[in-house]
Amino acid sequence: MTTTAPVPEDRAHQATAGPPAPDAAAAASPSPSPSPSPSPNPGPAPDGATAHGPDPVPAPAPDAATVRPAAASGSSPWQLARRELRRRPAVRVSLGVVLLFVLMAATAPWLGALGGWSPNEFDKTAIDPYLGGQPLGALGGISPEHWLGVEPVTGRDLFARVINGAQVSLLIAFAATAIVVVAGTAAGIAAGYFGGRTDTILSRLMDLTMSFPSLIFMIAMLSVAKDVNRIVLMTTVIGVFGWPGVARVVRGQTLSLKHREYVDAARVGGSGPWRILTRDILPGVSGPVIAYTTLLIPGMISTEAALSYLGVGVRPPTPSWGQMIAESVAYYETDPMYFVIPSVFLFLAVLAFTLLGDALRDILDPRGGRS
């Protein structure tokens, strides 16, 4: 009598269930099934490879073009402004006009000598005494001798007077702007950083100065003061009434900077107020100050021209654009070029500085520009 060995349950089940499914057979078989397509990653696995799959593909190295803007994001305000201004054609044109006016004002004596006439030299041969001193020739006497024509009655060369008027106007505008920026920045930083009584006193002084009728006071002071240097007096008067605007901008920036981490770290490290203000606060407010400074210059040029037009600014024979426009009003029908030429120079100077200032404000102080 033969005894049969007991069959295991898994074999019995396999025998009754039939052949295994293809997936189950593939999973149970240790040998891989043949594949018509080759493996995408042939060869032995490198060190550190796992049994679950091929190594992850390493990330590509960052491109230099993507690294460069990130590295440039920490540029100084001047570098940022120079890089952005190159991308705007209108701003490049306005910057070229500004540089042309500055160069013209700086070299006014040499340019006048190149033209062959001084600003106060009369040329009686260029006017017609029988027509009330009207310039001879078309377009106000424009000729190879007088590039922009001559003044009626006197015969003075308009080119020499316009470039010397640019020197006077830009000198007053730049000097008054320097006074405004220095005084306003100092007052704004002091009010914002120290706070308390200092902030209260300086803020009330700003409000008082801004509420004062500055134009009327300028006219009254310039009318009373006669035997003084008019350029110095105008620069001082314009500068005294212009600093509160800059002070308010700088005060707001200082209030937002004085509690930053690097300022607190400098204070904890033992730095004094002067070092913190000059090394930490001042660089942080330099961007808005630069933008505001550029926007101040056209206003200063217009203020000087307005005061000279009203007769309380620069006195003859010193040339000034506002003074020349005031004198040309009597001749705008008979000699319109005498009115057009200084007006065009004044318009171009104010427009170029305004466009440049708007661009710098958008670049260096975008939040201030939007507000």
Side-chain angles (χ1 to χ4, degrees), residues 220-289:
M221 179 176 290
L222 293 172
S223 301
V224 172
K226 297 184 180 298
D227 299 330
V228 294
N229 190 321
R230 307 295 294 187
I231 295 178
V232 175
L233 181 61
M234 289 184 66
T235 301
T236 306
V237 171
I238 295 174
V240 164
F241 288 99
W243 66 271
V246 179
R248 283 195 167 189
V249 173
V250 174
R251 176 182 175 273
Q253 293 289 328
T254 305
L255 288 175
S256 65
L257 291 176
K258 72 175 184 177
H259 294 300
R260 296 285 179 90
E261 290 81 0
Y262 62 90
V263 178
D264 292 336
R267 192 181 296 112
V268 171
S271 299
W274 175 254
R275 183 180 179 85
I276 293 175
L277 291 177
T278 56
R279 300 290 296 273
D280 299 318
I281 301 295
L282 188 58
V285 302
S286 60
V289 169

Side-chain angles (χ1 to χ4, degrees), residues 67-85:
V67 175
R68 195 174 296 114
S73 60
S75 302
S76 66
W78 289 110
Q79 294 174 346
L80 178 63
R82 184 167 60 251
R83 185 173 59 252
E84 291 293 331
L85 291 179

Side-chain angles (χ1 to χ4, degrees), residues 49-73:
T50 61
H52 300 285
D55 289 343
V57 179
D63 187 36
T66 60
V67 175
R68 195 174 296 114
S73 60

